[in-house]
Amino acid sequence: MEKQKKKKSHFPFRLNLLFFSVFLLFSILILRLGFVQIVYGENFKRDLERKEDITVSNPVPRGKMLDRDYRVIVDNVPKSAITFTNVGFSQQEMLETAGKLAQLIEKPTDKVTERDKRDFWIINNQKRADAKITKKERDLYDAKKITDKDIYKYKLDRITEKELKELTDNDLEVLAIYREFTSGYKFTSQMVKNEDVTEKEFAVVSENLQSLPGVETTTDWDRSYAFENTLRSVLGKVTKSGDGLPADQLDYFLARGYSRNDRVGKSQLELQYEDILHGYKSKVKNITDKTGNVIETHSVYAGKNGKDLVLTLDMDLQMTVDKIIEEELWAAKQSPGTSLTDRAYVVLMDPWTGEVLTMSGKKIVKDKETGKVEMIDDALVTFTTTYNVGSAVKGATILTGYKTGAISPGTSFDDTGIKIKDTPLKKSYAYLARLNEIDALKKSSNVYMFHTAINIGKGHYEYDKPLNFTNKFAFETIRNSFASFGLGTRTGIDLPSEQSGFKGQSKLPGHLLDLVIGQYDTYSAMQLAQYVSTIANGGNRMQPHVVKQIREPASETDELGQVLQEINPTVLNTIDAKKEWMNRVQLGFKKVMQEPGGTAYNFFQGAAYSPAGKTGTAEAFYDGPLRSNYGKEPPPVMNLSLVSYAPSSNPEVAMAVLVPWAYEGKVDNRASLKIGKRVLDTYFQMKNQ
């Protein structure tokens, strides 16, 4: 029998192959781990130990405002506040903290919106909110045909009013607090409550801070006003912590290191000098680990209060002028034809430096809630609103006439009225005989100015004939000249929102005649003050300013901080006029107030301070708060103005008075002269005390 061969088994080969493969894979893994450890080990180690530095800025009190005698006008008042800083808390953690805090403080819920309530309902009713999504909508979501945003919107829209009413008063209070928690960025303190925080609330929250992660009790500040409502419209306003940065300037402020809930100046001086007043924030560095937990905190910079502003304003004088305006306005209201009279303005300025000593405005209004008639501050209008001012501008007209060659010193005209074909007679308030330019100013001749304007326009006048000008640039010539005095242009005052005034669009010859007597274009009280200052100082148009110095914030021991900047006088331009011309206009202004026949002589005769100036009365149309009561045609009114300086030989103060809509009809209440006389009397009395 043939020997049977044994069949050879493949199992040992396969096992060896498996062992070899395992060995090879382990070898590759070991090599890879070694490579990672040797080449990348330090990088991974640094990642594990990575710390992140996050610098947090905290606000500081704003700078103060003081008057020229260093009396505080605007200051900061400390007040208790409760804040929250999100250092990486989850939504649930913040909700729990908000719930605890709601038991300790009263939080107003008036800022909670309908959307806030719907969001909060979803947070507290997740399953019920999910049930509002249909199977079809879930399928569309799974198919990526709708997004998370769409799903959430469906939930919001399907919450019923009945379901929203399930939110209790306590829920709404928790929501109001939670809303503050989530209104800012991580590591940025949010103001939870800084209004009407009681001593009890402050104490009980302070005692429970360990159970209120992220919550702090601190000191906030608020603006205080030593002179109450005096000049409030000019001092400006500051945003509240809940307002956030102004939307139209958001990028501007964020780029300068502001937080979204920082307080900033939002009007007038607070806005204009925001960069000076807001100060330097304290900076705290939070060091976090890789997971975002704060592991160290270091103070980087203690912060510094905003710098202080010393203003040019004299608050004693300001309040006295305010009172004079109030008294004279109420007195004027007793005269006939004053149903529309409701406001008056005064500006006092140093004619050599442009320093504004007072900028006073008062307006009569009716309180919408009580119906009571009261007087309120309206100083802002001294440079933001313009009116027809009448003959006060005639000094600029005479100097323009000199400069253009339309008249020369001593030129005289007969005061007989001007009659242009198809137009009413244009004349002075009375026939004033033949007079030169000095007496034309003294007696306020309109006709003299008309002839000056006709010569500027290179026109030829004949009674009741058409009047045409060969100089097609007569309007521009006069307006450019007026602007060199500050009329019809921005004065350059260091406040926002200044208006240049309205310029009539017609080029008719008759309107050129109106222009040179102040009855066509419109001007502000500040422009009038700059104009008369230019004449008072001999021809330099000074830039008006209300800030005199910028100082370091006062320390605890020093009454005043170090002067950082003095605001020096700025000459914007010098009038192109011979000294002889300026002297003659100054003489005319002096005669207005100090010589019989002058339009202000009856009020200023014998004044020891030797005033000079010019009165103005403008025929205008009412354009005030009751304008809608009069349909298409507003009633005609008279605007009163007065520009002055004193003493006439060496001026130290310039004044502009403007009373819009002073009266209707023929009875002149002389309000501008009454106010102006009392103001100048008061100025020199206070100076001599």
Side-chain angles (χ1 to χ4, degrees):
M1 186 175 178
E2 202 175 299
K3 190 176 181 181
Q4 190 176 8
K5 292 183 178 180
K6 289 184 179 179
K7 191 175 180 179
K8 188 174 181 180
S9 173
H10 297 287
F11 181 74
F13 173 76
R14 292 173 179 170
L15 188 61
N16 290 335
L17 183 61
L18 176 63
F19 286 154
F20 179 75
S21 299
V22 171
F23 171 77
L24 184 61
L25 290 172
F26 270 105
S27 299
I28 293 171
L29 179 62
I30 291 169
L31 287 172
R32 179 61 181 168
L33 289 173
F35 177 78
V36 168
Q37 183 173 359
I38 294 169
V39 177
Y40 296 112
E42 288 301 317
N43 291 342
F44 286 126
K45 183 178 180 182
R46 280 194 296 271
D47 280 345
L48 286 171
E49 296 175 350
R50 179 170 62 88
K51 296 178 180 179
E52 185 175 3
D53 294 350
I54 300 175
T55 301
V56 179
S57 299
N58 296 314
V60 294
R62 293 175 71 80
K64 300 176 183 179
M65 297 186 199
L66 305 93
D67 83 343
R68 64 187 300 112
D69 294 321
Y70 306 112
R71 289 169 296 187
V72 175
I73 304 172
V74 184
D75 203 347
N76 302 297
V77 175
K79 59 181 182 178
S80 300
I82 298 166
T83 65
F84 175 80
T85 305
N86 182 6
V87 295
F89 300 118
S90 66
Q91 180 186 77
Q92 187 58 40
E93 288 173 324
M94 286 191 286
L95 281 170
E96 290 176 1
T97 302
K100 293 176 183 177
L101 189 56
Q103 303 302 314
L104 305 177
I105 67 173
E106 290 186 7
K107 174 66 177 176
T109 61
D110 54 304
K111 291 186 178 180
V112 173
T113 65
E114 180 80 6
R115 173 59 187 267
D116 291 332
K117 294 177 183 179
R118 291 178 180 272
D119 288 330
F120 194 65
W121 188 91
I122 291 176
I123 292 173
N124 290 320
N125 299 275
Q126 294 281 0
K127 291 183 178 179
R128 291 169 65 187
D130 290 341
K132 294 180 180 294
I133 305 303
T134 66
K135 183 178 184 306
K136 181 180 178 181
E137 289 164 346
R138 294 189 185 284
D139 292 341
L140 289 171
Y141 176 77
D142 292 338
K144 297 186 177 180
K145 292 184 178 180
I146 59 175
T147 64
D148 288 315
K149 187 176 179 180
D150 296 320
I151 292 292
Y152 193 74
K153 187 176 185 304
Y154 295 152
K155 292 179 182 180
L156 287 173
D157 293 343
R158 292 167 188 172
I159 299 172
T160 66
E161 289 299 320
K162 183 178 179 181
E163 288 171 328
L164 282 182
K165 288 180 179 179
E166 295 172 4
L167 297 175
T168 65
D169 290 342
N170 183 67
D171 289 333
L172 293 178
E173 195 169 12
V174 173
L175 169 55
I177 294 172
Y178 175 73
R179 183 177 182 272
E180 303 292 354
F181 284 6
T182 59
S183 61
Y185 292 110
K186 190 176 178 181
F187 296 109
T188 300
S189 295
Q190 299 301 312
M191 198 64 64
V192 177
K193 185 176 181 181
N194 63 345
E195 299 291 342
D196 303 319
V197 177
T198 66
E199 292 182 5
K200 181 179 179 181
E201 286 177 331
F202 192 82
V204 73
V205 172
S206 299
E207 292 169 0
N208 289 276
L209 289 178
Q210 288 187 342
S211 62
L212 299 168
V215 175
E216 291 289 344
T217 50
T218 185
T219 300
D220 192 20
W221 52 267
D222 207 353
R223 281 309 219 185
S224 65
Y225 301 89
F227 297 89
E228 298 180 342
N229 291 325
T230 304
L231 269 179
R232 284 289 291 274
S233 61
V234 171
L235 298 174
K237 296 180 180 179
V238 178
T239 60
K240 296 181 179 179
S241 57
D243 296 339
L245 297 176
D248 59 342
Q249 296 177 291
L250 183 62
D251 293 339
Y252 171 86
F253 284 117
L254 290 177
R256 283 157 179 76
Y258 285 74
S259 300
R260 287 178 180 266
N261 65 335
D262 277 351
R263 292 180 169 192
V264 298
K266 67 177 183 179
S267 65
Q268 301 317 315
L269 274 171
E270 295 279 14
L271 170 62
Q272 185 76 12
Y273 287 91
E274 168 62 26
D275 290 344
I276 303 297
L277 292 167
H278 86 277
Y280 299 95
K281 296 181 178 181
S282 63
K283 295 183 182 295
V284 177
K285 182 182 290 184
N286 291 318
I287 301 175
T288 67
D289 59 21
K290 188 178 181 181
T291 62
N293 294 318
V294 177
I295 56 177
E296 295 179 55
T297 298
H298 299 294
S299 175
V300 177
Y301 178 63
K304 194 172 186 179
N305 291 8
K307 298 179 180 65
D308 296 337
L309 298 181
V310 177
L311 307 185
T312 62
L313 301 162
D314 181 327
M315 291 306 289
D316 281 344
L317 183 61
Q318 175 73 38
M319 290 190 296
T320 304
V321 172
D322 281 352
K323 185 178 180 183
I324 290 170
I325 293 178
E326 287 188 22
E327 292 174 352
E328 292 299 334
L329 257 184
W330 288 126
K333 293 292 286 181
Q334 305 305 310
S335 301
T338 56
S339 61
L340 300 175
T341 307
D342 68 345
R343 62 194 66 193
Y345 306 98
V346 173
V347 174
L348 291 179
M349 184 185 297
D350 184 325
W352 303 97
T353 65
E355 292 184 3
V356 178
L357 306 177
T358 70
M359 45 193 311
S360 184
K362 288 292 179 177
K363 181 168 66 175
I364 299 171
V365 298
K366 181 180 287 188
D367 189 285
K368 292 181 179 179
E369 294 182 1
T370 65
K372 182 181 178 182
V373 175
E374 58 185 358
M375 192 88 70
I376 64 170
D377 171 66
D378 201 32
L380 194 65
V381 169
T382 56
F383 63 95
T384 61
T385 307
T386 59
Y387 303 92
N388 296 116
V389 301
S391 300
V393 306
K394 288 177 179 175
T397 300
I398 295 298
L399 285 163
T400 304
Y402 288 148
K403 186 168 61 175
T404 59
I407 59 172
S408 58
T411 297
S412 63
F413 295 112
D414 187 82
D415 198 56
T416 301
I418 297 286
K419 180 67 173 71
I420 303 171
K421 185 176 176 60
D422 298 327
T423 65
L425 183 70
K426 301 176 80 68
K427 59 187 181 66
S428 301
Y429 57 91
Y431 175 64
L432 303 174
R434 190 172 189 88
L435 29 68
N436 63 15
E437 76 280 22
I438 294 176
D439 286 334
L441 289 172
K442 169 187 169 182
K443 298 181 179 181
S444 199
S445 167
N446 287 343
V447 175
Y448 193 99
M449 308 304 150
F450 296 156
H451 284 294
T452 302
I454 291 170
N455 289 348
I456 292 172
K458 301 188 185 306
H460 175 70
Y461 168 70
E462 291 185 50
Y463 188 84
D464 206 24
K465 296 290 180 66
L467 178 62
N468 294 305
F469 297 137
T470 58
N471 177 9
K472 302 302 180 184
F473 300 100
F475 277 92
E476 288 78 5
T477 298
I478 293 171
R479 282 174 173 148
N480 289 340
S481 178
F482 276 26
S484 69
F485 292 89
L487 296 170
T489 188
R490 290 185 175 88
T491 65
I493 190 169
D494 52 341
L495 288 165
S497 308
E498 183 181 13
Q499 298 299 306
S500 59
F502 170 80
K503 293 178 174 58
Q505 299 302 304
S506 169
K507 298 292 184 178
L508 292 174
H511 287 141
L512 188 73
L513 307 190
D514 294 335
L515 176 62
V516 296
I517 62 169
Q519 298 203 153
Y520 195 45
D521 290 359
T522 62
Y523 313 107
S524 69
M526 190 62 65
Q527 289 177 12
L528 290 178
Q530 187 180 54
Y531 149 68
V532 76
S533 292
T534 304
I535 290 176
N537 67 36
N540 290 326
R541 181 164 78 102
M542 305 304 299
Q543 181 177 5
H545 57 99
V546 295
V547 173
K548 185 180 178 70
Q549 295 175 337
I550 298 172
R551 288 179 174 264
E552 286 283 9
S555 66
E556 293 182 2
T557 55
D558 296 332
E559 184 179 349
L560 291 171
Q562 179 184 356
V563 176
L564 294 175
Q565 183 181 351
E566 290 275 2
I567 309 301
N568 296 316
T570 300
V571 179
L572 297 178
N573 61 268
T574 300
I575 302 300
D576 181 16
K578 295 179 181 178
K579 184 174 177 55
E580 176 194 2
W581 299 347
M582 192 64 71
N583 288 343
R584 290 182 71 83
V585 170
Q586 291 173 341
L587 178 59
F589 274 28
K590 182 177 180 179
K591 286 174 175 285
V592 166
M593 293 187 151
Q594 297 190 44
E595 191 171 281
T599 54
Y601 176 73
N602 288 340
F603 281 83
F604 288 91
Q605 60 177 307
Y609 45 81
S610 181
K614 185 72 192 75
T615 58
T617 304
E619 297 177 5
F621 290 97
Y622 178 72
D623 191 28
L626 303 178
R627 172 65 183 84
S628 60
N629 296 349
Y630 295 95
K632 184 177 180 180
E633 189 72 25
V637 291
M638 305 299 284
N639 296 344
L640 297 178
S641 64
L642 174 67
V643 294
S644 180
Y645 56 87
S648 56
S649 57
N650 186 25
E652 62 180 73
V653 64
M655 175 183 70
V657 181
L658 184 54
V659 187
W661 322 316
Y663 63 93
E664 300 171 72
K666 301 296 183 181
V667 181
D668 185 350
N669 54 43
R670 316 287 274 177
S672 59
L673 285 164
K674 293 174 181 176
I675 292 171
K677 176 62 163 56
R678 289 186 63 187
V679 167
L680 284 183
D681 285 352
T682 297
Y683 172 84
F684 285 100
Q685 287 169 5
M686 293 179 70
K687 173 197 168 187
N688 295 326
Q689 284 177 355

